[in-house]
Amino acid sequence: MVDFNVVLAGLTDAFQLTNLLFVLAGVVLGQFVGAVPGIGPVMAMAIAIPFTFVLDPLPAIGFLVGVNKGGLVGGAVPAVLINTPGTPDAAATALDGHPLAKQGKPVKATKMALYASVTGDTFSDLVLVTVSAPLAIVALKMGPVEVFALMIFAFSIIAGLVGNSLSKGIIAAALGLLCATVGLDPEHSTPRLYFGWFELYDGLPLASVAIGMLAISEILRRLASTNGGMKSAIEIPVAQNPEDMRVRWVEYWSCRYTMLRGAVIGTILGALPGIGSTAAAFMSYASAKQTSDDPQSFGKGNLHGIAAAESANSAVVGANLIPLLTLGIPGSVGAALIISAFMIHGIQPGPLLFEQQGRLVYGLFGAMIMANFINLFVGQVGLRFWILVVRAPESVIFSSALLLCIVGVSMATGGLFGVSVMLIFAGVGYLMTAFGYSVVIFIIAFFLGPRFEISLSQTLVLLDGDVAALVNYPIAIVLLLLAIVATWWLGFRAAARQANKQPA
Amino acid sequence: MKIGKLMTSLIAAAVILTFGAANAADWKPSGPVNLQIGFGAGGETDTLGRVIASVMKEQTGWDVIAENKPGGGGVAMFSGISKAPADGLVIGLGVNMPIMINLVLRGDKLPFDLDSFDYLATVARAQLAIIAKKDAPFDDIKGLVAHSKANGGTAVAFDAKPQELILRAIDKQESAGLKLVSTKSSAEMLQFVLGGQVMASFSAGTHIPYVEKGDLKVLASANDGRHNYAPDTLSLKEQGYNLFVDPYFYFAGPAGLPDDAKAALVAALDSAIASEKVKTVVANALATEVDNLGSDGTKKMLVDGIGGVKVLFGK
C-alpha cells in the first residue's frame, strides 16, 4: 500500500502552478481540437508527445490527459450544433443533442452535454483513484470468452436502436461487419478484400469511415438542401427564453440515474481493454431509451439522451487508465499514447508503478480531478464561443467544416488515400440515410467488428470448438443469458407498447 | 568598410556553396526532409521516429518533418518511398519483419524489392521473449511442450505472423498439441498470461517489470541470441529449435540517392541515433540498446533476414 505521505505529496504536486497551467493548456487544446471536425484529441496527443520530452513527467502526462479529457467535451460541440460528430463516440450525443439545438436551445443542449460529460468523467476518476487495483484484477479475469459474451450482450442492447425496420437494421449491421473484415484477417494474417491496395492491409482507416459517414455525409445533405439564401447553420431565436439558455438543477438532477448508469457502463467498458467509448455511449443511450417511460421522445431532443451518451463516453477515459496504470495494458489508442509518454520518460506502467512512482501516480490523479473542473469552466466559456461561430452563414460553416475534415483525415491517415476513403464513405452514408438505413448501426458494427471477430477466434481456440466447454466460464454464461433476456425483454416491451398504442 | 566585410563574407559563402556541394559533409537538403513512419501514431516506431526527427533537426539544422504513413506494417509507406525522387528529401522508418514476410509471400505483387532502396541505418533490435507466469509448472520450451502433452493442449498467445510460425514449427517438431491464440498486441498477450487465459505468450518488452517483480518468467529468447536483462535464459536455438526472429527498426530512402546526400543522411542518422536522447527513448520504450548497423550492415541484415524468413515459411 502506498504511504499516505506519498499520496499527499502527489496531490500537492498536482496543485503546483506549472502543473495546473499545463493541465489547463491541455484542456483548452483538447476542447478546441475536439470541437473542430476531423482532428480530434488522439491526433493532437500524438503530435504533442515528442514535445513533452523536455517537460517533467507530471506536467507532461497531465497535459496529455488534459487534451484527452478536453477532447471528449469538445467532440460533443459540433455533434450537437451542426450534427457532424468530430469523433464517433459523439455520434450518440448528436441523436438527441442536435434535435434540441434545432428547437432553438443550442446552449441548453451543449451545457447538458458538458455537465453529463464532467459527471461521468469524475465518477470514473473516483473509481480509478479508489478501487483501481482490485478492479484491474477482476478485469484480468475477463478473458476472450467473457469478452465475446459481453459483446453479444452489448449487441443485444444496442439492437434497441434499430428503429422501425428490423430488416434495414440488419442490413446496415451486416454492411458494417463486412467493411470491418477488410485487411489482414486477425487469425492468420491473410489479406482480405484489399484489391491490391496495401494501404488497406490494416483495414479501412477508422477516422476516414467515421468522419466520412457521420460528418461529411451530413454536410453533403445540408449543402444539398440549401437554396442559395443566406442563413445561419443553426437558428437561434434572438430573444431567447432564459429558461432555454441553461440547464436547471431539477433537470440535471432528474437525469441522475441516467448519468449514473452511463458512468457505470463507461467505467466497466473502459476497464476492459479494446471495446471503447463508442460502444459505451451507444449502450448507455440504448438502455436509457429502453428503460424510459417515454421512449418515443428519444431522438427528438430528450435531455436524458444527451446525458446518457456523454456520461458514458467520458467515463471510459478515466477507466481506461485502470488497466493502464495497474497492469501496463492500454485500453484505447488514447491510452496507448499516454503509455508511450510514460515510457519516453523512463516510467514503465505496470505492477511496480504504484510502488516506484507513487507520488507521480497520485499527482496524476490530482491532475485528472483538476482537469475535470477546468473542463467545466473552459467548457462554459468555450461553448459560447462555438455558438457564436455557428451563427455564421451555413455556406461558410459547412465549407470550412469540409476543409477541416479533409485536412484532419489526411493528417490522421497519412495522406490522400484516407481522404478518398472518407469521400467514398460520405457517399455511402448519404445514400444510406436517404434510403432509411441507419448509419449509426453501421458504424457500431464497423467499430466492434474486428474485436468481435478476434474474440470469436480466440474463444473457439480456447474452447477447442466445443460449446459444452463453456461451463468453465460462468461469467460468460451469465452474460449470454443476459443477452437472451435483453433481446426477449426489449422485443416483448416493444411489442407490448405497440399493442398499447393501437387502441389509443 | 562594412560593405567590404559584407562582400568578403558573401564571396566566402558563394565559394562554400559552389565547391562545398560536391563534399558529402556539406550536403544540405534543398527543402524540408520528410521522415515517414510506417506505422500509426502512438506505437514504438512512432515514438522513435518523432524523437529521431527532432534530434536530427537540432543537430543538423535541417527542417525534418515526421509523418505517419500507416498500412500493412510499413508496406504502404515503403511503396511510396520506392517511387519517390531520390533527392534525399524523403526517408522512411520501418520494421524489417513485415517487409521481409511480404517480400517472401507476395513479392510479385509488391511495387518494390530489396534493391528499390538505399539503406541508411538501423535504430535497434527488439528483444522478443516467450514468457509464462512465475508459478507455471515449467521453465523452458521443453517443459511447456511436456505440459501441453500431459494436459491435452496448452494455450499460447502470439501477435504476429512470425511468432505464429515459430509456434507451429515447435508444435510440429514435438507434436505438442499447442493451442495457438491470436491476439492484437503485446499488451493483450500480457493480459491473457496474467489473467490465466493462456499459459505462455510472446512479449517484446512489456514483461520486463513483471520479471523484475517476480510475477513472470522468461522461457526463451526468440532472438538469435540471449537478452540483456535475462542473460541466463537460453534462446530457442540453444534449446534445440532452429528458429528465431530479429525484428530491427531501420531507415531507408529511395534507391539511387546521390553519394553526397546518402553520406550526409547516413552521418546525420548515425549521430542522432548515438545521441543521449535517442538512447534513453530506446532504453525506455523498447527495453533494449541502440544498435546501428550502418548503411551496408542494414542491407546485409535484410538480405540475410529474407533467407531466415524463407526457412520459417518453408519456402
Side-chain angles (χ1 to χ4, degrees):
Chain A
M1 193 56 214
V2 180
D3 196 25
F4 193 61
N5 289 334
V6 177
V7 175
L8 278 186
L11 292 178
T12 319
D13 288 345
F15 284 91
Q16 276 178 19
L17 192 59
T18 15
N19 294 340
L20 276 182
L21 283 177
F22 271 104
V23 174
L24 174 69
V27 169
V28 171
L29 178 68
Q31 288 201 3
F32 183 78
V33 296
V36 173
I39 299 181
V42 170
M43 194 66 212
M45 284 165 74
I47 295 172
I49 281 182
F51 297 104
T52 62
F53 195 85
V54 293
L55 300 175
D56 285 335
L58 184 58
I61 293 161
F63 176 76
L64 294 173
V65 169
V67 173
N68 205 358
K69 283 173 178 280
L72 273 167
V73 167
V77 171
V80 168
L81 294 182
I82 51 175
N83 203 16
T84 58
T87 49
D89 41 25
T93 313
L95 294 178
D96 270 291
H98 186 62
L100 191 61
K102 269 210 299 215
Q103 293 162 21
K105 301 174 189 168
V107 186
K108 187 170 191 147
T110 36
K111 275 192 179 168
M112 189 66 221
L114 174 65
Y115 298 153
S117 181
V118 172
T119 308
D121 206 352
T122 309
F123 176 87
S124 80
D125 287 353
L126 291 178
V127 172
L128 168 71
V129 173
T130 49
V131 288
S132 60
L135 205 64
I137 293 176
V138 175
L140 264 189
K141 294 291 164 209
M142 298 284 286
V145 184
E146 288 84 0
V147 166
F148 179 70
L150 180 72
M151 292 189 77
I152 302 258
F153 178 55
F155 276 127
S156 75
I157 301 267
I158 293 169
L161 292 180
V162 162
N164 298 329
S165 167
L166 183 64
S167 54
K168 282 187 175 178
I170 292 175
I171 291 172
L175 261 178
L177 288 175
L178 178 70
C179 290
T181 59
V182 173
L184 298 179
D185 93 88
E187 218 173 345
H188 302 294
S189 310
T190 317
R192 300 181 298 201
L193 302 172
Y194 79 115
F195 302 107
W197 297 88
F198 287 99
E199 289 89 342
L200 289 179
Y201 253 40
D202 299 336
L204 290 162
L206 290 182
S208 306
V209 175
I211 293 177
M213 294 208 75
L214 296 169
I216 308 274
S217 70
E218 171 68 13
I219 293 172
L220 289 180
R221 204 178 61 75
R222 296 285 283 263
L223 288 180
S225 64
T226 50
N227 48 15
M230 290 281 276
K231 61 173 186 175
S232 303
I234 189 144
E235 297 296 339
I236 302 168
V238 186
Q240 216 179 358
N241 183 351
E243 276 299 290
D244 294 341
M245 294 279 286
R246 59 195 177 93
V247 177
R248 280 180 303 139
W249 170 251
V250 185
E251 289 171 317
Y252 174 83
W253 189 240
S254 74
C255 292
R256 63 191 181 280
Y257 294 121
T258 309
M259 286 191 288
L260 183 65
R261 181 174 46 230
V264 171
I265 290 175
T267 306
I268 292 174
L269 292 193
L272 299 173
I275 299 180
S277 50
T278 308
F282 280 106
M283 238 180 116
S284 168
Y285 181 84
S287 52
K289 184 178 173 184
Q290 294 302 335
T291 51
S292 163
D293 295 331
D294 184 17
Q296 299 300 324
S297 67
F298 278 75
K300 294 173 188 152
N302 191 326
L303 281 181
H304 284 268
I306 305 175
E310 276 300 304
S311 59
N313 74 20
S314 299
V316 170
V317 178
N320 265 174
L321 294 187
I322 294 173
L324 188 154
L325 294 178
T326 51
L327 304 167
I329 294 166
S332 63
V333 183
L337 287 167
I338 292 176
I339 283 213
S340 60
F342 268 107
M343 295 211 289
I344 58 177
H345 283 101
I347 300 157
Q348 181 86 45
L352 301 173
L353 185 68
F354 281 76
E355 284 167 39
Q356 292 172 349
Q357 300 282 346
R359 183 167 172 171
L360 174 68
V361 172
Y362 281 90
L364 176 62
F365 288 164
M368 289 174 71
I369 303 283
M370 289 317 293
N372 292 345
F373 286 106
I374 295 173
N375 235 336
L376 196 58
F377 292 116
V378 175
Q380 292 277 10
V381 180
L383 65 90
R384 286 179 172 77
F385 168 73
W386 291 115
I387 287 169
L388 274 184
V389 169
V390 294
R391 283 189 182 193
E394 214 174 30
S395 47
V396 176
I397 291 293
F398 287 115
S399 47
S400 18
L402 196 62
L403 184 68
L404 287 167
C405 287
I406 292 174
V407 173
V409 165
S410 83
M411 271 163 67
T413 59
L416 286 179
F417 183 81
V419 175
S420 321
V421 174
M422 175 182 81
L423 293 176
I424 291 170
F425 276 91
V428 173
Y430 184 82
L431 291 176
M432 281 178 67
T433 314
F435 289 105
Y437 293 91
S438 165
V439 170
V440 160
I441 298 280
F442 174 96
I443 288 285
I444 297 172
F446 175 74
F447 263 66
L448 291 183
R451 175 51 45 191
F452 184 70
E453 188 184 358
I454 194 163
S455 296
L456 176 62
S457 111
Q458 292 169 341
T459 303
L460 285 173
V461 171
L462 289 178
L463 299 183
D464 258 341
D466 179 12
V467 182
L470 262 180
V471 290
N472 299 322
Y473 299 90
I475 305 177
I477 294 180
V478 170
L479 284 168
L480 287 173
L481 287 177
L482 279 176
I484 295 170
V485 171
T487 315
W488 177 78
W489 188 59
L490 298 181
F492 176 79
R493 287 249 307 198
R497 272 188 205 125
Q498 286 292 329
N500 280 343
K501 260 182 22 188
Q502 241 104 56
Chain B
M1 184 63 197
K2 267 186 185 170
I3 291 176
K5 258 191 178 171
L6 185 68
M7 285 299 286
T8 325
S9 42
L10 271 181
I11 291 168
V15 169
I16 291 167
L17 276 181
T18 342
F19 294 92
N23 189 336
D26 292 331
W27 179 84
K28 283 264 183 294
S30 56
V33 175
N34 188 340
L35 192 163
Q36 301 193 348
I37 300 165
F39 293 84
E44 287 105 354
T45 322
D46 179 53
T47 312
L48 286 183
R50 288 182 187 276
V51 172
I52 290 174
S54 78
V55 173
M56 265 174 94
K57 194 172 176 175
E58 237 166 63
Q59 291 181 338
T60 59
W62 304 345
D63 199 5
V64 185
I65 297 169
E67 194 185 342
N68 297 97
K69 290 270 179 195
V75 172
M77 186 262 301
F78 277 121
S79 299
I81 299 258
S82 68
K83 291 180 211 143
D87 52 9
L89 294 186
V90 183
I91 57 174
L93 169 63
V95 179
N96 62 348
M97 292 311 295
I99 301 298
M100 297 193 299
I101 289 173
N102 278 297
L103 281 171
V104 167
L105 287 187
R106 39 190 91 83
D108 51 326
K109 290 183 192 151
L110 293 188
F112 59 80
D113 56 29
L114 283 187
D115 294 328
S116 309
F117 304 102
D118 274 356
Y119 297 93
L120 304 171
T122 59
V123 185
R125 185 188 72 163
Q127 303 194 111
L128 190 65
I130 301 179
I131 56 160
K133 256 190 168 170
K134 188 73 184 176
D135 53 10
F138 42 78
D139 294 309
D140 54 14
I141 303 298
K142 292 274 188 260
L144 172 68
V145 166
H147 182 269
S148 178
K149 281 183 180 169
N151 293 282
T154 297
V156 186
F158 63 90
D159 77 343
K161 193 76 188 171
Q163 302 171 9
E164 183 193 355
L165 293 171
I166 286 182
L167 291 176
R168 285 197 190 286
I170 294 176
D171 201 38
K172 200 171 160 197
Q173 186 176 332
E174 305 270 14
S175 314
L178 296 175
K179 294 197 233 173
L180 309 190
V181 179
S182 173
T183 67
K184 285 279 192 202
S185 66
S186 241
E188 194 181 352
M189 293 194 285
L190 183 68
Q191 183 194 340
F192 287 178
V193 171
L194 291 173
Q197 281 91 21
V198 301
M199 291 291 279
S201 84
F202 282 87
S203 178
T206 25
H207 60 287
I208 296 174
Y210 287 87
V211 173
E212 282 169 17
K213 195 189 173 201
D215 289 345
L216 293 178
K217 60 187 167 191
V218 182
L219 303 180
S221 148
N223 291 92
D224 189 6
R226 299 186 192 178
H227 293 172
N228 55 0
Y229 59 89
D232 299 330
T233 306
L234 303 182
S235 69
L236 279 177
K237 262 186 164 177
E238 290 170 309
Q239 299 191 29
Y241 306 94
N242 190 20
L243 305 159
F244 70 91
V245 282
D246 270 339
Y248 271 99
F249 297 84
Y250 74 101
F251 277 100
L257 289 175
D259 287 343
D260 55 345
K262 183 175 171 182
L265 285 169
V266 167
L269 282 168
D270 189 51
S271 80
I273 292 166
S275 71
E276 279 310 309
K277 219 171 176 178
V278 174
K279 279 183 180 168
T280 321
V281 168
V282 167
N284 293 342
L286 301 175
T288 182
E289 290 142 18
V290 295
D291 181 7
N292 186 359
L293 299 173
S295 172
D296 297 336
T298 307
K299 177 149 196 186
K300 183 172 181 306
M301 175 273 291
L302 282 157
V303 173
D304 295 350
I306 288 270
V309 170
K310 280 187 178 156
V311 173
L312 266 185
F313 280 90
K315 290 215 173 188

